[in-house]
Amino acid sequence: MLKRISCFLLSILFFACAQKQDVVKKERFFWPPPPNEPKVEFIGAYRGNRDLPQKTSFLKKITGETDPEIKLRKPLHIASDGEGLVVVTDLMPYGGLIFDFNENKVELVTNEPSFQFATGVVFDRDKLYIADGKAGNIKVFTKKERKPLYTIGDGELESPNGLAINEKLNWLYVVDTKAHKVYVYDLLTKKLIFSFGRPGDQEGEFNRPWGICIDKNGDVYIADGLNARVQIFNKDGKFISMFGRRGDKPGGFAQVKGIGIDSDNNIYVIDPLKAIQVFDRQGQLLGLVGAPGTKGIGAMSLPMGMYIDKSDRIYVVDQMNRRFQVFQYMNEEYKKKYPVDFGEKTK
C-alpha cells in the first residue's frame, strides 16, 4: 500500500515538473501614457490579505481550507516605513490594518478596540503614531510589536488628522481639522512647541485642513481642505506661498485631502471628486495620475490619504473601492533599474 502511494506521489511530482512553464511578461501602466515620457508607474492595488502571495500548506491545498479574510472597510489615511510595512487607518476600532510586504501578511494594528476614530498615521525609526480624531490625541506604539507606549496632545487637540514628522528636528506636525490649526510637538519631550493657523481664507488661515507632508528642506505643505488650495510654510510655521483654485477643470479643486511630495519636489494633491493632480511649487499643473471610477487600472472612487516614501513609492487610499493603490514616481534611479521599452505593450 505504501509503495503504491509513493509511486502515485512521484508520478504527481514528475507530471508537475514536466509541465511547460510559460513566462508571462507583465503589462505595465504609466502616466502619461506613451509616446509621452512616462513619469509614474502603477504598481498594484490591495484590499486585504487575499491580495498578497499566500503560503498554503500541502494539507490546506488538499482540504481547500483558507485563512480568514482580513480586508479594509472604510480606509482613510496611509503611511509606509519604506521597508515593507504599510499602515492603513480604518473606521474599525482597532485602528486599521498593517500590511507586511516582507512576510506577505495582514494584521490588525492592535488587538484591543482602543480607537474611537483612527485618522492620520506616520512612522519614525522605531515607533508608529496614529491620530484618534475623536479622542483628541496621538496614540504611540512600538513599530514592530505595536505595543502601546503613550499618547500625545491630550487636552490640546480637538480633531487631529494628518501627521508628518521632521526627522532631523524630531518634531511631530499634527493637522487639527476642526481647530483649523497645525500643532507641533517635540517627540523627545512629548510637549507642544508651537502652533500656527486660524480659521479663514487669507494667507496662513485654514478651512478644515486635512493632509500634510514635509519636503527634504523641512518646508511644510498643508492641504487646506475647503479652501481648495495648498499652503506652504517653513519649519517654524511661517507662511511662504500657496497655490490652487476652485474649479472643475484640470488644475482646479472642489476640495483637497491627501498630499505628498517626491524627491524632485513634484507635489501630488488629491481631490476626492477627481484623482491625483501633480504640480510644481509655483502651482503649475504638471500632469494627472489615475481617474475617477471603480473599474480599470488607476480608477479611484473618493481617494483620501496619501503618502510618498523616500524611494518615491506613492501610496493612495481609494476609499469607496475599499483599497489602497501603489504607484512609483520614475526617478532616474528607478528608470535605470526598470527601463521602459516603448515596443512593449504599455498603457
Side-chain angles (χ1 to χ4, degrees), residues 96-112:
L97 300 181
I98 183 161
F99 289 71
D100 187 335
F101 286 89
N102 297 314
E103 299 294 332
N104 289 320
K105 63 181 182 180
V106 178
E107 297 176 331
L108 296 171
V109 169
T110 173
N111 291 320
E112 298 295 329

Side-chain angles (χ1 to χ4, degrees), residues 153-262:
D154 292 282
E156 294 163 339
L157 299 172
E158 184 177 357
S159 59
N161 202 342
L163 303 180
I165 289 177
N166 183 319
E167 294 184 353
K168 293 180 181 179
L169 297 174
N170 277 315
W171 287 3
L172 171 68
Y173 291 76
V174 182
V175 175
D176 193 316
T177 297
K178 289 184 179 179
H180 313 284
K181 297 176 85 171
V182 178
Y183 292 85
V184 184
Y185 290 88
D186 186 318
L187 288 178
L188 300 179
T189 65
K190 310 173 189 61
K191 301 296 184 182
L192 178 67
I193 307 172
F194 64 92
S195 64
F196 60 94
R198 61 183 182 182
D201 58 7
Q202 300 302 303
E203 294 180 356
E205 297 178 343
F206 302 118
N207 186 356
R208 299 189 69 83
W210 208 87
I212 181 173
C213 66
I214 299 174
D215 69 17
K216 53 191 174 186
N217 296 318
D219 288 341
V220 181
Y221 299 70
I222 305 294
D224 189 6
L226 296 184
N227 279 332
R229 65 187 181 184
V230 171
Q231 294 199 63
I232 307 173
F233 302 83
N234 71 5
K235 62 181 178 60
D236 298 311
K238 182 180 179 181
F239 175 83
I240 297 175
S241 64
M242 63 184 178
F243 67 84
R245 55 182 170 77
R246 198 173 300 279
D248 297 328
K249 295 181 179 179
F253 303 111
Q255 57 178 298
V256 291
K257 292 289 188 179
I259 188 169
I261 188 165
D262 66 31

Side-chain angles (χ1 to χ4, degrees), residues 113-127:
S114 54
F115 284 88
Q116 296 181 45
F117 181 37
T119 55
V121 57
V122 70
F123 286 97
D124 68 7
R125 288 180 291 274
D126 56 2
K127 296 182 184 69

